[in-house]
Amino acid sequence: MSSFAQNMRKKILVTNDDGIEGEGLKVLVSALSDYADVCILAPDSNRSAFSSKITMGREFFLKKISENVYTCSGTPADCVIAALTSDLFPFKFDAVISGINAGPNMGTDVIYSGTCAAARQAVFLGLPGIAISQESEFLDYARTGFNFKPLADFCVRNLDQLISLCTGDVFVSLNATSADSYREALFASGCVRDYGDQVRLTCDGTDLTAFCESRGITVSGQSDSDYNIARSGRIAVSLVYAEPVLKMMSEKIEFKF
């Protein structure tokens, strides 16, 4: 490969919230490596549902696994901040890709997802962020039934297009149900996923132990929602504002003081 061709290769940071041993991350890195210079900084163990938590007021630790591959004792957002604001890696990145997550991150999941938080943090720091999530062929949150390669290949084939969608105020979130191939990718609206969360309390003397458990997931949304698109065997492409979108009031409210 000529030096010119090497210089044209994208520089990609890969992270996730499933941890450095996540199979989706390994498949994604393998697919990307033929076309891009890939560095990895991922949590040292699972950090699912950590949202955009960052480590403040105390140290976190990085461990070198191999050349340009590190683990982090912190969160997915910590990984992105450390990679982009330090001299850990030898070049500036063109984009951050987070995933492939073993489980969907659709609609309201984006609020809690560490996978999406890493892509969001990239946008905060001025880089395109892409979050990739896959639902098991057995649906919902099954622990098996993932074929990550077709979704990883889609990301590689469309890397330039996906990066171009990150206009500076949004990150891209991809969702698909595990399949041997995909026939179409569509822009999606967000669904609402209600987990029916309920906290169960147990008492031991004066101490209370709380355990949050789901009573089952219910989903609502438009026909073009990420949920409906993914469940129909296609890839859902969502553009998510990184910053909160605030509602402005048109009527005047008289506050009391």
Side-chain angles (χ1 to χ4, degrees):
M1 182 181 295
S2 70
S3 60
F4 176 77
Q6 288 177 332
N7 290 337
M8 293 296 290
R9 286 163 64 91
K10 290 284 193 295
K11 309 295 192 283
I12 304 295
L13 173 69
V14 174
T15 189
N16 69 355
D17 73 0
D18 286 338
I20 191 68
E21 295 298 327
E23 184 63 25
L25 181 144
K26 295 176 182 178
V27 173
L28 176 62
V29 169
S30 177
L32 282 169
S33 293
D34 288 338
Y35 303 93
D37 297 324
V38 179
C39 296
I40 303 170
L41 179 54
D44 56 16
S45 60
N46 192 290
R47 301 288 193 279
S48 294
F50 267 56
S51 189
S52 289
K53 174 182 169 60
I54 59 175
T55 302
M56 298 180 65
R58 60 185 177 86
E59 297 173 324
F60 60 92
F61 304 96
L62 309 181
K63 179 179 180 181
K64 185 173 183 177
I65 304 301
S66 60
E67 189 66 22
N68 291 328
V69 178
Y70 292 81
T71 63
C72 175
S73 66
T75 67
D78 288 332
C79 291
V80 176
I81 295 170
L84 300 189
T85 66
S86 74
D87 57 1
L88 180 67
F89 294 114
F91 41 67
K92 301 296 184 182
F93 293 103
D94 295 300
V96 174
I97 304 181
S98 181
I100 300 171
N101 191 64
N105 283 303
M106 302 173 182
T108 43
D109 293 339
V110 171
I111 298 168
Y112 310 102
S113 165
T115 304
C116 292
R120 180 185 295 112
Q121 189 63 52
V123 173
F124 289 160
L125 294 174
L127 277 187
I130 302 166
I132 312 176
S133 306
Q134 187 176 90
E135 186 175 40
S136 164
E137 65 176 296
F138 303 121
L139 307 180
D140 291 331
Y141 282 86
R143 297 181 181 275
T144 59
F146 296 98
N147 180 12
F148 294 112
K149 191 173 187 306
L151 191 53
D153 289 343
F154 172 84
C155 180
V156 171
R157 294 189 192 107
N158 296 278
L159 186 57
D160 288 341
Q161 292 92 326
L162 294 172
I163 289 175
S164 73
L165 292 172
C166 302
T167 57
D169 55 356
V170 302
F171 66 89
V172 174
S173 177
L174 303 181
N175 276 279
T177 300
S178 183
D180 292 330
S181 63
Y182 300 100
R183 67 180 186 272
E184 193 174 21
L186 296 175
F187 288 104
S189 64
C191 66
V192 175
R193 287 167 66 85
D194 182 352
Y195 288 77
D197 291 331
Q198 184 175 36
V199 171
R200 174 166 48 85
L201 299 176
T202 57
C203 182
D204 181 12
T206 58
D207 296 326
L208 289 172
T209 299
F211 182 80
C212 185
E213 54 190 358
S214 171
R215 292 171 292 178
I217 304 173
T218 58
V219 183
S220 60
Q222 304 298 319
S223 60
D224 67 348
S225 73
D226 42 15
Y227 177 85
N228 286 328
I229 290 172
R231 284 290 180 94
S232 69
R234 297 170 288 185
I235 298 171
V237 182
S238 301
L239 305 182
V240 184
Y241 283 106
E243 296 281 0
V245 177
L246 304 184
K247 180 179 178 179
M248 302 304 293
M249 291 293 293
S250 58
E251 59 184 278
K252 185 177 180 180
I253 301 295
E254 296 292 339
F255 294 104
K256 297 180 176 64
F257 295 93

